[in-house]
């Protein structure tokens, strides 16, 4: 099927949908300048995310892990949402059944105006104290030395690392939305990190029509109803 037909088909499904679920990954922020985790530019000082985003890495070398998050905060601090983020925020404002689930921690969906965002992996702008449990929004965090909580414990980013459980309430919300969605749009994820990777399959098994938007093929491509090759910024503006 040619692209124009795919886009028209996807539009028709999306606008007929009573419960639209959107799952986003790093690719939706790529056109804002956010480096994706996999693919070119995904490495920082030769480390992969899997080497640094773990409780073991933080225990072994918290300064290195905070240095990485400091670098990511610096990169992200100067960036703005792109047309794909804005298109989703517009979609939410239309007020029909709409749920946004993201694996991204960059906060760009909120900056674009999305309100109900289920952040599966946390948010880079928040810190969490493993000692007293306090979570705080700290956009201006002094990382010239390791950050400590008032209770004396070393703060960590409020991010779900590899090997850690997702926040229960957020996961529950995402699964409920999956099970009741009639259309699911999967944008900019390589679909290799669980549980997000299986979400499209679960939604499809419970009856949703699943549309993927990605410039590359992914493990999902053969398993969805419609896969559209292209950049999220351009495609979501046309689709939504
Ligand atoms: P990845 O970096 O694994 O995948 C990004 C995807 O976006 C790839 O499939 C690209 O082809 C696609 N892409 C690139 N540019 C795009 C564009 N302009 N429009 C649409 N798609 C584009 O990112 P995620 O799948 O989000 O977890 O990675 C999942 C998780 O792995 C992340 O949340 C992170 C990471 O390690 C943690 O940090 C816990």
């Amino acid at each position: 099927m040619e692209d124009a037909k795919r886009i028209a088909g996807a539009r028709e499904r999306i606008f007929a949908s009573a419960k639209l679920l959107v799952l986003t990954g790093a690719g939706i922020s790529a056109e804002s300048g956010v480096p994706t985790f996999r693919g070119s530019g995904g490495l920082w000082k030769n480390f992969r995310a899997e080497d640094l985003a773990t409780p073991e890495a933080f225990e072994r070398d918290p300064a290195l892990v905070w240095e990485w998050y400091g670098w990511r905060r610096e990169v992200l601090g100067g960036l703005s949402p792109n047309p794909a983020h804005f298109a989703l925020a517009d979609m939410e404002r239309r007020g029909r059944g709409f749920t946004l689930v993201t694996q991204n921690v960059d906060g760009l969906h909120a900056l674009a105006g999305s309100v109900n965002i289920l952040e599966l992996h946390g948010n880079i702008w928040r810190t969490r104290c493993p000692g007293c449990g306090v979570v705080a929004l700290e956009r201006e965090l002094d990382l010239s030395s390791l950050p400590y909580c008032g209770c004396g414990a070393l703060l960590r980013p409020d991010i779900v690392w590899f090997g850690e459980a997702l926040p229960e309430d957020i996961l529950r919300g995402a699964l409920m939305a999956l099970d009741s969605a009639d259309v699911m749009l999967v944008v900019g994820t390589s679909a290799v990190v669980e549980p997000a990777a299986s979400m499209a399959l679960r939604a499809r098994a419970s009856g949703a029509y699943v549309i993927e938007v990605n410039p590359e093929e992914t493990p999902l491509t053969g398993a969805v109803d419609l896969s559209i090759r292209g950049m999220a910024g351009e495609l979501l503006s046309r689709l939504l």
Side-chain angles (χ1 to χ4, degrees):
M1 213 193 303
E2 49 183 279
D3 274 359
K5 275 199 183 141
R6 282 173 192 271
I7 292 169
R11 259 186 78 83
E12 211 169 288
R13 291 280 179 172
I14 289 168
F15 281 91
S17 151
K19 285 192 175 170
L20 175 66
L21 170 65
V22 182
L23 171 67
T24 65
I28 197 169
S29 297
E31 287 151 85
S32 293
V34 179
T36 54
F37 293 96
R38 295 166 189 82
S40 61
L43 295 183
W44 174 78
K45 294 190 176 178
N46 281 331
F47 293 102
R48 299 170 311 143
E50 289 87 340
D51 300 326
L52 298 168
T54 70
E56 293 77 21
F58 191 64
E59 205 162 298
R60 199 170 47 239
D61 194 346
L64 176 71
V65 174
W66 264 121
E67 192 193 341
W68 180 51
Y69 281 106
W71 170 76
R72 288 180 60 197
R73 278 170 158 258
E74 246 178 74
V75 171
L76 292 173
L79 302 181
S80 310
N82 68 58
H85 298 104
F86 288 118
L88 292 177
D90 280 350
M91 200 71 193
E92 180 177 0
R93 276 194 289 271
R94 279 179 212 180
R96 289 182 316 174
F98 176 88
T99 305
L100 176 58
V101 178
T102 188
Q103 298 168 86
N104 298 346
V105 298
D106 56 31
L108 290 176
H109 282 303
L111 272 185
S114 287
V115 178
N116 292 314
I117 312 163
L118 295 172
E119 291 179 320
L120 293 176
H121 293 164
N123 188 301
I124 198 165
W125 302 109
R126 294 193 303 256
T127 57
R128 175 158 31 108
C129 175
C132 65
V134 163
V135 171
L137 181 64
E138 301 207 54
R139 265 195 101 90
E140 309 296 329
L141 184 64
D142 178 9
L143 287 172
S144 54
S145 57
L146 282 173
Y148 284 89
C149 177
C151 79
L154 177 61
L155 290 171
R156 58 169 282 176
D158 187 28
I159 285 184
V160 179
W161 285 331
F162 288 96
E164 294 184 322
L166 267 60
E168 238 175 71
D169 50 337
I170 291 182
L171 183 59
R172 198 176 321 113
L175 295 180
M176 273 170 57
L178 278 184
D179 291 339
S180 63
D182 52 14
V183 176
M184 177 174 183
L185 184 59
V186 183
V187 186
T189 177
S190 58
V192 294
V193 175
E194 292 295 351
S198 312
M199 285 185 168
L201 303 180
R202 174 166 170 158
R204 194 156 186 257
S206 48
Y209 185 87
V210 181
I211 303 164
E212 175 186 56
V213 170
N214 198 307
E216 313 268 337
E217 284 203 3
T218 75
L220 277 185
T221 303
V224 298
D225 294 288
L226 189 62
S227 190
I228 307 179
R229 295 279 78 77
M231 310 286 260
E234 191 222 322
L235 271 174
L236 290 205
S237 314
R238 287 172 70 188
L239 276 177
L240 303 179

